[in-house]
Amino acid sequence: MDKSKRLTQKLTGLALAASLLVSQAGVAVQAADARDADGFTTLAQNTLSIASVTSAHSSTPATNILDGNTGTMWETDWSGGIADLPAQVTLDLGSVVKDVSRVLYTPRQAGNFNGTVTEYEIWVGTDLSNLTFQGKGSWALDRSVKTATFSSTDARYVQLKAVATTEPEHTVTCSELNIATKAGVTVDSSLLTEQTDEGAIKMFGLNLKPLL
């Protein structure tokens, strides 16, 4: 076997080993924009950063919501007593992005449901000090990825505000937070998508199947 072939096999083996390590760690960092079957394009997490956050416990920093690992999470600080809601986390998209129209919230995936967001508001804007309200809604108490869909708008900052969680005095938790875009989405801001306990979607009074 010549040296070039041995080198190729060695590099292939190293690449396979690296992919297995990533898989075993449960990490799937999204490094490129990804478009789903419904036409929404989820922004790459490595282009996002934390613009502001109400608080974070030292063991669960807000940056965990952008690491692609559902085994980690952000949790508001509880070390000095739990602050009243609402609590918020705001993402910086890096620059003004066209047609921002969806937030995807992944609840904590292990242990109890403490801090899981059940009622929320979405605020967006091009200026961190002047965000505009896009709507509000509620999510079922389970571990599935939740979506909040709103009218397409150009924005650099997207804020998820937790209005209620599992219990009034619990912290706020989030495993992953993603942002998606799609042109031409129009939603009444007072009727943000609501995911019910039955897994249906309520929008404008209609019960629709969940988006896949």
Side-chain angles (χ1 to χ4, degrees):
M1 185 183 298
D2 59 37
K3 290 183 178 180
S4 61
K5 183 174 291 186
R6 285 198 299 270
L7 179 59
T8 299
Q9 289 181 342
K10 185 175 182 180
L11 291 174
T12 301
L14 289 172
L16 177 59
S19 67
L20 288 173
L21 286 172
V22 169
S23 176
Q24 290 169 359
V27 178
V29 176
Q30 185 188 333
D33 294 354
R35 187 170 183 174
D36 65 18
D38 300 297
F40 284 88
T41 299
T42 303
L43 302 180
Q45 284 186 317
N46 63 2
T47 66
L48 313 179
S49 61
I50 305 297
S52 69
V53 64
T54 299
S55 69
H57 190 266
S58 58
S59 64
T60 51
T63 51
N64 283 350
I65 67 176
L66 298 176
D67 66 1
N69 185 355
T70 58
T72 65
M73 68 177 184
W74 158 60
E75 184 171 18
T76 51
D77 192 17
W78 45 264
S79 59
I82 299 173
D84 293 335
L85 294 175
Q88 62 81 24
V89 60
T90 305
L91 297 186
D92 182 351
L93 310 188
S95 61
V96 175
V97 175
K98 293 182 64 63
D99 300 321
V100 175
S101 48
R102 176 169 284 181
V103 171
L104 298 95
Y105 164 79
T106 303
R108 64 188 301 169
Q109 295 295 295
N112 55 45
F113 285 98
N114 289 359
T116 300
V117 178
T118 55
E119 296 181 23
Y120 62 90
E121 294 179 0
I122 302 296
W123 295 72
V124 307
T126 57
D127 181 350
L128 184 58
S129 63
N130 188 30
L131 302 180
T132 59
F133 176 72
Q134 296 299 304
K136 60 184 179 180
S138 59
W139 286 319
L141 182 58
D142 57 41
R143 300 196 194 280
S144 64
V145 177
K146 315 300 181 186
T147 61
T149 305
F150 46 95
S151 298
S152 302
T153 184
D154 297 349
R156 174 167 179 169
Y157 302 98
V158 179
Q159 180 182 100
L160 170 64
K161 180 179 290 184
V163 178
T165 62
T166 46
E167 293 184 18
E169 296 184 356
H170 274 165
T171 56
V172 175
T173 57
C174 175
S175 175
E176 293 294 303
L177 198 62
N178 289 280
I179 308 300
T181 65
K182 183 179 180 180
V185 176
T186 303
V187 178
D188 184 336
S189 64
S190 67
L191 294 170
L192 252 179
T193 302
E194 178 184 352
Q195 185 166 332
T196 68
D197 290 336
E198 292 75 23
I201 297 291
K202 284 186 176 180
M203 183 179 282
F204 308 117
L206 301 176
N207 287 323
L208 306 175
K209 294 291 185 181
L211 298 176
L212 301 177

